[in-house]
Amino acid sequence: AAEEGIALVDKDEQGVDRAFREEVLTGLSYDQKAVPARWLYDDDGSQLFEDITQVEEYYPTRAETEILTERGADFANAIGPGRAVVEFGSGSSVKTPLLLRAIDPAAYVPLDIAGDFLRAAAADLAQQFPGLAVHPVEADFTKEVALPPETADMPKLGFFTGSTIGNMVPRTGVDLLRSMRATLGAKSMLLIGMDLVKDRKVLEAAYDDAKGVTAAFNLNLAHRINRELDGTIPVDALRHEARWHDDYARIEMHLVATRDITFEVAGRKFAMAEGESIHTENSHKFSRRSAFMLLRAGGWTPLQRWLDRQERYSLILCRA
Ligand code: AVI
């Protein structure tokens, strides 16, 4: 059964996430304004991201689901039963049942920063797998996380889907992989999704869908800043933009000012000239070599790699 979960997010007396305030204020004071992408995921943002995974142009979720659906026997062989599956940034955990059914784990530990969303999803999953111990942990998984004591003696399998590693610059990605290794322990494995470099038109469309769901996801960050940090950002003066940056092999999301604006956040004043932007997300894309190099730098040895039929996306199994 799902537990209440352990709250590990640091909030002040007003319930404001301290790290959110610090990182927004710092990021808005840069020449190129930037807010780390993890702040896109409050409860509304997490729901909007789930909506993105359903839009026509956004292929990564479908490609990854296809691999998880069709390669169950491979995973069972390569991973074996009895592990505690630790899912980093579990969200609504829609892909999780595919893996759990394939490998027969001893426990499931979803980690996510969006607490309400996490607990609802964990309860749902516990219902689908009545015999499985489910221990949700509300945590910022960019740092080492203390796992529930019930899982102490079980070998772990980290599960990090969706190519979320691509949302980090390589240096941060390496730090995260190393934290994961510290969280999971010496005998652990990691199954990680990594999206592949491809035609830039396909990539730009995936991050700027015709229905405007990705735009709403990006703009939600400005709404969140206004809601949680006493912000006065005129959201109607911002537009969503997705740009491919070839040297960095990444899609960048920006909120671009459509006119000169001034606003306040947490009592501090900011200004943006027309055309200036807040950089809100990077989504790096990988080749086989660049993926393996990043994983090795993070302390993981790649063992096996699977692609979807159209070869747009990869799932890679590593050992610590
Ligand atoms: C969660 N992450 C891997 C998504 C991505 O593809 O970079 C977030 C996203 N941003 C816009 N669309 C999807």
Side-chain angles (χ1 to χ4, degrees):
E3 296 172 343
E4 264 303 282
I6 310 164
L8 295 169
V9 178
D10 182 23
K11 298 197 170 149
D12 73 6
E13 314 75 49
Q14 277 83 47
V16 177
D17 187 320
R18 287 193 173 90
F20 180 45
R21 186 178 49 216
E22 293 310 302
E23 291 185 18
V24 167
L25 291 176
T26 304
L28 290 180
S29 64
Y30 294 149
D31 285 348
Q32 169 60 71
K33 292 179 169 34
V35 175
R38 67 194 179 108
W39 301 113
L40 291 162
Y41 300 90
D42 62 351
D43 286 349
D44 288 350
S46 295
Q47 184 55 57
L48 282 163
F49 175 64
E50 293 307 319
D51 298 344
I52 288 175
T53 65
Q54 306 295 317
V55 303
E56 178 84 33
E57 298 92 330
Y58 192 77
Y59 61 85
T61 311
R62 280 191 303 279
E64 189 171 59
T65 304
E66 178 197 310
I67 303 169
L68 285 165
T69 307
E70 296 186 358
R71 301 305 186 120
D74 291 7
F75 300 141
N77 278 335
I79 297 163
R83 288 187 180 258
V85 173
V86 179
E87 186 167 10
F88 295 92
S90 50
S92 71
S93 305
V94 279
K95 292 171 228 170
T96 316
L98 299 168
L99 178 72
L100 298 182
R101 247 174 238 124
I103 65 166
D104 188 21
Y108 172 58
V109 182
L111 306 182
D112 205 293
I113 202 164
D116 295 343
F117 211 71
L118 165 76
R119 281 181 284 275
D124 193 46
L125 205 117
Q127 263 195 339
Q128 287 182 59
F129 293 85
L132 184 69
V134 179
H135 306 285
V137 179
E138 182 180 349
D140 169 6
F141 63 79
T142 58
K143 302 181 185 93
E144 186 179 340
V145 177
L147 296 178
E150 295 88 333
T151 65
D153 297 329
M154 302 170 188
K156 312 292 187 302
L157 172 72
F159 188 39
F160 194 34
T161 61
S163 200
T164 301
I165 189 73
N167 293 135
M168 284 138 227
V169 296
R171 192 162 72 178
T172 316
V174 166
D175 287 348
L176 174 65
L177 290 164
R178 288 184 175 272
S179 292
M180 287 177 168
R181 199 183 176 290
T183 297
L184 296 170
K187 290 185 190 128
S188 58
M189 295 178 123
L190 176 68
L191 184 61
I192 184 169
M194 298 180 81
D195 194 16
L196 300 174
V197 173
K198 58 183 65 62
D199 186 89
R200 83 184 276 166
K201 288 208 183 71
V202 176
L203 287 167
E204 282 174 348
Y207 290 83
D208 193 7
D209 62 280
K211 287 195 179 136
V213 182
T214 311
F217 171 66
N218 196 7
L219 287 160
N220 177 59
L221 179 64
H223 288 297
R224 179 181 186 186
I225 292 169
N226 285 349
R227 265 194 313 268
E228 294 184 26
L229 304 177
D230 268 336
T232 60
I233 302 172
V235 181
D236 66 326
L238 296 175
R239 71 175 171 77
H240 164 71
E241 192 174 294
R243 318 174 178 155
W244 174 249
H245 195 319
D246 200 52
D247 283 353
Y248 291 92
R250 72 189 186 199
I251 286 281
E252 295 183 359
M253 289 205 315
H254 290 257
L255 290 169
V256 183
T258 56
R259 54 180 160 83
D260 294 356
I261 53 175
T262 57
F263 55 88
E264 286 191 17
V265 174
R268 297 247 302 264
K269 291 188 180 1
F270 298 94
M272 290 173 74
E274 181 184 344
E276 208 184 314
S277 72
I278 307 172
H279 181 181
T280 53
E281 186 185 63
N282 294 313
S283 195
H284 294 82
K285 306 300 166 186
F286 302 93
S287 66
R288 184 174 59 87
R289 286 193 180 110
S290 71
F292 284 7
M293 185 143 71
L294 188 73
L295 291 164
R296 287 204 179 91
W300 294 94
T301 303
L303 296 173
Q304 232 176 310
R305 175 178 178 264
W306 296 270
L307 304 182
D308 64 305
R309 267 175 267 124
Q310 292 181 55
E311 305 196 344
R312 295 166 297 182
Y313 190 90
S314 66
L315 260 180
I316 302 171
L317 181 68
C318 312
R319 65 166 173 75

